[in-house]
Amino acid sequence: MLFRRVVKFTLNTVRHRSRQSNFQYCIDLVKNNDYDSYLTTLLTPKQVLRPAFALRAFNIEISTIGKSAVDSRVGEAKIIYWKDQIDQVFNSLKNTEQTARFNDPISQEIYLMVKHFNLSKARFSRFIEAKKNFLTIQQFKNCDELESFADFSNMSYILFNCLGINSVDCDHAANHIGKAQLLCFVTKNLLKNPTQMVYYLPGDLLIKHKISQQDLFNFSERILRPKRQNLKNLAFDLCSRANDHIRSARNLNDKIAQNAKPILAGSISCDVFLSKMQKYDFDLMDPKLNSNFRTSFLIKLILAKLKNNY
C-alpha cells in the first residue's frame, strides 16, 4: 500500500511535468513491456528521469528484435531505421538555430536529451552495432562473449554522463549489473521463449550440460523432461555467474556517488529472481517459478529508496 502511494505520487508528478506526449509514450512503452524496469526507473533522480525513460524505451525497441527467419528480416530493417534515426539526431545538432522535430517520439526524446546534456554518439552507435552483429551469429561461444554483448547494450553509462558522473567505480558497478541482468533475463525466459533464448545460450555451457540447440528449437515438455537435471545445472551456472556480478557490484557500494545509486537499482530485480531460483532449486520446470514475486521486489525497492543503496 505504501509503495502504491509512492508510485502514484511519483507518476502524478511526472505526468504533471510532462506536457509533451512523447515523454508519456516512452513511459507507457516501458510500463507495458517491462513493468519491473518501469518501477525501477521511477527511482531515478528527477533531473534525469526523462532521459531514463527515453533510454529504456530505446532499449526495448532494439532489444525486442528477434532472430527467427522472419524476425531477422524485420530486425535488419529496424536496425537500419534506428541507425538512421540516431544519425539524424546528431546531424540535427549542427543546426543550433532551431529545435529539430522528429515523428518518432523516442527519437524526439533522445534528441532533446542529447542536446541538453551534450552526449556522445558513441554509446548509441555501439548498442545498435552490437544488436546488428547479434543478428548474424548462430550463438555465443562462451559466457564472456555473452557478457560483452551485455556491456554494449548497457544504458547506465549514458545516465552517468547526464548526471556529470565520471567514475571508474560507477562504471564497474554498472558493468557487473548489466551482465547480471542479461544472465537473469536469459535464464528467466529460457523455457518461456526457447526459440529466441537459444541464441543467447553460450555454446560451451550447452555442451557441458548435454543440451542441444535442437532440443530448444523443438521445445516440448516431453522432449526436455528427461533432461530436467541438465536444465537445472545449466540454470545454476547462469545464476551463479549472475550472483557473482551482483556481489561484485555491491562490494563497490561505498565508492559509488549517492546520486548514481538509483541508476544501479536494476540489481534488485536480479536479486529477487536469483532468490526465487535458489528457493526452487534452479528447476526451470517447477510451475511454482511462475508465481508472482512482485511483493518481495516492491519491498526491496522501497528499502533501496529509503537507504539509497542498490
Side-chain angles (χ1 to χ4, degrees):
M1 182 63 71
L2 172 62
F3 190 81
R4 287 180 181 176
R5 290 176 180 174
V6 172
V7 170
K8 185 176 181 180
F9 173 78
T10 305
L11 278 180
N12 286 338
T13 303
V14 168
R15 286 168 181 161
H16 176 71
R17 293 179 179 178
S18 173
R19 297 181 180 179
Q20 297 185 34
S21 60
N22 294 330
F23 182 29
Q24 189 62 53
Y25 175 89
C26 292
I27 292 174
D28 292 340
L29 184 68
V30 176
K31 182 178 180 180
N32 294 332
N33 287 274
D34 189 350
Y35 195 71
D36 288 352
S37 290
Y38 162 74
L39 293 175
T40 303
T41 306
L42 291 174
L43 302 182
T44 307
K46 293 178 183 177
Q47 63 267 42
V48 293
L49 186 62
R50 187 163 185 160
F53 272 110
L55 289 172
R56 290 282 189 190
F58 177 63
N59 198 334
I60 287 171
E61 282 289 314
I62 301 295
S63 298
T64 51
I65 296 174
K67 269 187 66 99
S68 69
V70 175
D71 286 339
S72 288
R73 289 193 292 272
V74 174
E76 288 170 7
K78 210 168 183 181
I79 289 292
I80 293 171
Y81 170 80
W82 279 108
K83 183 180 182 303
D84 289 343
Q85 289 292 295
I86 295 300
D87 287 342
Q88 289 178 37
V89 163
F90 283 88
N91 288 335
S92 298
L93 295 174
K94 297 174 184 178
N95 183 357
T96 58
E97 298 297 323
Q98 58 184 15
T99 300
R101 298 294 177 190
F102 293 84
N103 292 327
D104 187 284
I106 299 174
S107 299
Q108 185 66 37
E109 288 297 298
I110 290 175
Y111 167 78
L112 294 174
M113 170 178 57
V114 169
K115 184 177 182 180
H116 182 75
F117 293 102
N118 193 28
L119 300 176
S120 166
K121 182 180 178 180
R123 288 287 179 191
F124 295 95
S125 297
R126 284 180 64 194
F127 182 29
I128 294 173
E129 190 64 26
K131 189 64 179 184
K132 178 182 176 182
N133 293 337
F134 175 65
L135 293 177
T136 64
I137 65 171
Q138 288 300 311
Q139 68 177 159
F140 294 108
K141 294 178 182 178
N142 49 53
C143 281
D144 289 336
E145 283 193 4
L146 174 64
E147 291 178 357
S148 293
F149 174 73
D151 193 43
F152 282 125
S153 58
N154 195 326
M155 297 283 103
S156 297
Y157 305 121
I158 297 177
L159 289 177
F160 289 151
N161 290 339
C162 292
L163 286 169
I165 296 172
N166 185 16
S167 165
V168 173
D169 292 318
C170 286
D171 287 349
H172 280 169
N175 176 283
H176 284 299
I177 291 172
K179 291 174 178 177
Q181 285 178 306
L182 182 57
L183 289 166
C184 289
F185 170 77
V186 173
T187 307
K188 182 178 181 179
N189 292 285
L190 181 55
L191 296 189
K192 294 178 182 178
N193 192 6
T195 57
Q196 290 298 323
M197 292 304 105
V198 66
Y199 293 107
Y200 290 93
L201 288 171
D204 60 347
L205 279 185
L206 290 177
I207 293 172
K208 175 183 176 182
H209 298 296
K210 299 179 181 178
I211 300 171
S212 69
Q213 281 191 320
Q214 205 60 39
D215 289 335
L216 295 168
F217 278 128
N218 299 329
F219 170 74
S220 72
E221 188 169 319
R222 179 184 61 81
I223 292 174
L224 285 180
R225 183 146 310 265
K227 295 191 175 184
R228 188 169 186 169
Q229 186 60 48
N230 305 61
L231 286 169
K232 287 173 67 174
N233 294 338
L234 173 63
F236 175 79
D237 279 357
L238 291 169
C239 290
S240 295
R241 195 163 178 123
N243 186 61
D244 288 343
H245 283 301
I246 294 298
R247 293 179 64 181
S248 295
R250 288 178 172 169
N251 286 339
L252 294 167
N253 181 65
D254 293 339
K255 300 178 180 180
I256 304 300
Q258 291 301 305
N259 61 341
K261 289 182 180 180
I263 295 173
L264 303 173
S267 64
I268 298 169
S269 59
C270 292
D271 190 39
V272 171
F273 172 72
L274 293 172
S275 296
K276 180 169 68 170
M277 288 295 292
Q278 184 177 28
K279 180 177 181 179
Y280 295 112
D281 197 27
F282 304 94
D283 187 0
L284 293 172
M285 302 186 82
D286 191 325
K288 291 189 287 293
L289 270 177
N290 295 319
S291 57
N292 194 330
F293 281 72
R294 185 153 287 151
T295 300
S296 59
F297 171 61
L298 294 177
I299 291 172
K300 290 193 174 186
L301 211 55
I302 293 170
L303 292 175
K305 176 69 173 177
L306 295 175
K307 297 179 179 179
N308 194 29
N309 61 26
Y310 55 92

